[in-house]
């Protein structure tokens, strides 16, 4: 235990010792340490002995579940191809704004073993195939059920719509509740302390939305169930809930935005953004501000295209520079939204002084979004996803209860 929590010199003492045995398959301390490193780097957590100590049960639980999922896939003779893994890696690159083909270098620079990433990806792909083979064929969503759900959506179409993300931690048995509650509390503290919500959702959430960083999209008020609706009703975005106990486990909800759909509104505007950032302290002197503005204007003069913006972002090396991806205007802070709203595609904005430095923005694409009010087909898909989620959760709980798991840490 001390080797996991007291720093690098102690960590190397016995990394090949056993952290857990899952149905006669070993999870080594090395596996645990490498996965912990991946979680810390991808979630923007501080790498301290306390952080490692608190993460240990979460990471070990994830590794045990992945091993059970892979064992079940093997039992069903389900395989994961290199093409499957390559596609998943490209998706990770897009989600994290990493250049195509650069993900291996990205993790290598962070000191993360490549197999640590691919093993997690492999388990996720395998489990998805298991669910599609074993559960999807057993689920039918009838027209009456869809019609009833769609009627509920239309009844709330003029009510507030909440842009949400979730982390879900299942409670398999009553005696596990205190442990899971403590884990949920820890995640909330880490997120409020600056940790990356989507990254933590991908690592620890037990909901299918984990694959997309916990993203639930726009959800009408009154559609989540009483416990979850009550938890966000009086919050003002952006906000994070405390852990919410439901019959299945604990939810953590991130309320990213809220709006009341306009009858005349088709949906909204999404922009593809690239940013150049010149760091500057809040209390910088006039001379330092002038120098930073001069640097920003020089960069602005060199940026003629979106490709130029990316090259300059790589050149400057700021972690806040680069591709911001597709962003809804409503998700941007007020000062950035005012600039981006009418900024022509392919033109660099004027330098903007912000608390963390000087910002330059370029709109590389702009598109009008569809309405946040779902179609009937989307309602049917949401019902199917929810049913799959419940069945998959039961499936994994059964695997856990039937497994022989020996934790050594």
């Amino acid at each position: 235990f001390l080797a996991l929590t007291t720093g690098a010199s102690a960590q190397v003492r016995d990394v090949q010792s056993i952290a857990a045995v899952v149905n006669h398959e070993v999870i080594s301390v090395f596996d645990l340490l490498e996965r912990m490193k991946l979680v810390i780097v991808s979630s923007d957590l501080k790498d301290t002995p306390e952080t490692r100590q608190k993460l240990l049960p979460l990471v070990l639980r994830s590794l045990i579940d992945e091993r059970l999922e892979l064992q079940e896939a093997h039992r069903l003779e389900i395989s994961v191809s290199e093409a499957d893994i390559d596609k998943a890696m490209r998706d990770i690159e897009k989600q994290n704004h990493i250049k195509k083909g650069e993900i291996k270098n990205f993790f290598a620079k962070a000191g993360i073993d490549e197999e640590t990433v691919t093993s997690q990806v492999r388990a996720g792909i395998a489990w998805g195939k298991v669910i599609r083979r074993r559960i999807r064929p057993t689920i039918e969503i009838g027209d009456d059920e869809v019609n009833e759900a769609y009627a509920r959506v239309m009844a709330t179409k003029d009510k507030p719509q909440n842009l949400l993300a979730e982390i879900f931690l299942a409670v398999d048995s009553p005696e596990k509740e205190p442990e899971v509650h403590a884990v949920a509390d820890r995640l909330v503290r880490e997120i409020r302390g600056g940790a990356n919500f989507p990254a933590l959702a991908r690592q620890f959430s037990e909901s299918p939305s984990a694959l997309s960083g916990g993203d639930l999209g726009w959800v009408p008020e009154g559609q989540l169930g009483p416990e979850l609706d009550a938890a966000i009703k009086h919050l003002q975005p952006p906000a994070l809930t405390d852990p919410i106990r439901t019959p299945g486990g604990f939810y953590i909800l991130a309320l990213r935005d809220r709006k009341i759909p306009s009858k005349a509104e088709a949906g909204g505007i999404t922009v593809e953004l690239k940013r150049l950032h010149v760091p500057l302290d809040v209390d910088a002197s006039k001379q330092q501000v002038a120098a930073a503005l001069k640097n920003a204007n020089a960069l602005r003069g060199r940026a003629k295209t979106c490709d130029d913006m990316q090259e300059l972002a790589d050149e400057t090396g700021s972690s806040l520079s680069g591709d911001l991806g597709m962003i809804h205007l409503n998700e941007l802070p007020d000062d950035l939204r005012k600039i981006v709203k009418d900024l022509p595609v392919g033109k660099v904005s004027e330098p903007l002084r912000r608390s963390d430095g000087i910002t330059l923005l370029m709109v590389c694409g702009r598109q009008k979004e569809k309405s946040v009010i779902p179609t009937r087909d989307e309602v049917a898909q949401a019902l199917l996803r929810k049913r799959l989620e419940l069945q998959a959760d039961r499936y994994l709980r059964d695997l856990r209860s039937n497994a022989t798991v020996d934790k050594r840490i």
Side-chain angles (χ1 to χ4, degrees), residues 133-148:
R133 179 186 293 185
R134 298 282 289 180
I135 296 179
R136 177 62 187 90
T138 69
I139 296 177
E140 292 184 8
I141 306 295
D143 287 342
D144 290 346
E145 192 175 358
V146 176
N147 290 338
E148 182 180 342

Side-chain angles (χ1 to χ4, degrees), residues 75-263:
R75 186 184 72 83
L76 298 172
E77 298 183 345
I78 291 174
S79 61
V80 177
S81 68
E82 289 301 316
D84 291 333
I85 293 176
D86 288 343
K87 182 182 181 301
M89 288 297 191
R90 287 196 297 273
D91 290 340
I92 294 174
E93 287 174 337
K94 290 178 183 177
Q95 292 165 0
N96 292 278
H97 312 304
I98 300 171
K99 279 186 177 181
K100 186 177 180 180
E102 287 294 312
I103 190 167
K104 292 181 180 179
N105 290 336
F106 174 83
F107 287 117
K109 288 179 181 177
I112 297 170
D113 184 71
E114 181 182 339
E115 180 56 28
T116 300
V117 182
T118 56
S119 64
Q120 184 178 34
V121 169
R122 185 180 294 108
I125 296 170
W127 186 240
K129 290 185 176 185
V130 169
I131 298 307
R132 286 192 292 275
R133 179 186 293 185
R134 298 282 289 180
I135 296 179
R136 177 62 187 90
T138 69
I139 296 177
E140 292 184 8
I141 306 295
D143 287 342
D144 290 346
E145 192 175 358
V146 176
N147 290 338
E148 182 180 342
Y150 186 64
R152 289 197 301 269
V153 169
M154 295 307 292
T156 62
K157 64 184 177 65
D158 294 325
K159 290 186 177 181
Q161 306 272 329
N162 296 306
L163 186 61
L164 294 167
E166 67 174 352
I167 293 174
F168 174 67
L169 302 175
V171 175
D172 298 330
S173 57
E175 61 269 18
K176 291 289 186 182
E177 179 165 346
E179 177 186 340
V180 179
H181 196 176
V183 167
D185 282 335
R186 181 65 188 183
L187 289 178
V188 168
R189 288 197 297 273
E190 293 292 353
I191 295 165
R192 287 176 175 160
N196 185 300
F197 186 103
L200 288 176
R202 290 187 190 99
Q203 293 291 341
F204 299 120
S205 181
E206 296 172 62
S207 167
S209 65
L211 295 174
S212 58
D215 182 36
L216 294 176
W218 289 97
V219 180
E221 184 180 272
Q223 294 295 305
L224 291 174
E227 302 94 345
L228 303 184
D229 281 324
I232 63 171
K233 186 175 180 62
H234 300 294
L235 294 180
Q236 294 301 315
L240 185 75
T241 68
D242 290 327
I244 309 161
R245 183 66 165 102
T246 68
F250 287 94
Y251 280 88
I252 301 166
L253 295 181
L255 176 61
R256 297 152 56 198
D257 199 0
R258 174 182 288 136
K259 69 177 181 179
I260 299 176
S262 165
K263 293 180 180 179

Side-chain angles (χ1 to χ4, degrees), residues 27-46:
I27 297 173
S28 71
V29 170
F30 177 80
D31 297 331
L32 184 56
L33 288 172
E34 287 298 305
R35 177 61 64 84
M36 197 177 300
K37 190 189 303 180
L38 173 60
V39 172
I40 288 170
V41 169
S42 63
S43 305
D44 297 328
L45 297 169
K46 292 182 179 179

Side-chain angles (χ1 to χ4, degrees), residues 15-69:
V15 296
Q16 290 304 327
S17 60
I18 296 174
V21 181
V22 184
N23 292 330
H24 307 296
E25 287 191 17
V26 168
I27 297 173
S28 71
V29 170
F30 177 80
D31 297 331
L32 184 56
L33 288 172
E34 287 298 305
R35 177 61 64 84
M36 197 177 300
K37 190 189 303 180
L38 173 60
V39 172
I40 288 170
V41 169
S42 63
S43 305
D44 297 328
L45 297 169
K46 292 182 179 179
D47 191 358
T48 65
E50 181 188 8
T51 298
R52 287 175 172 256
Q53 180 179 344
K54 298 298 184 182
L55 282 178
L56 190 147
L58 285 78
V59 175
L60 186 56
R61 174 185 170 118
S62 295
L63 287 171
I64 290 170
D65 283 350
E66 287 175 18
R67 196 59 57 93
L68 292 171
E69 292 164 358

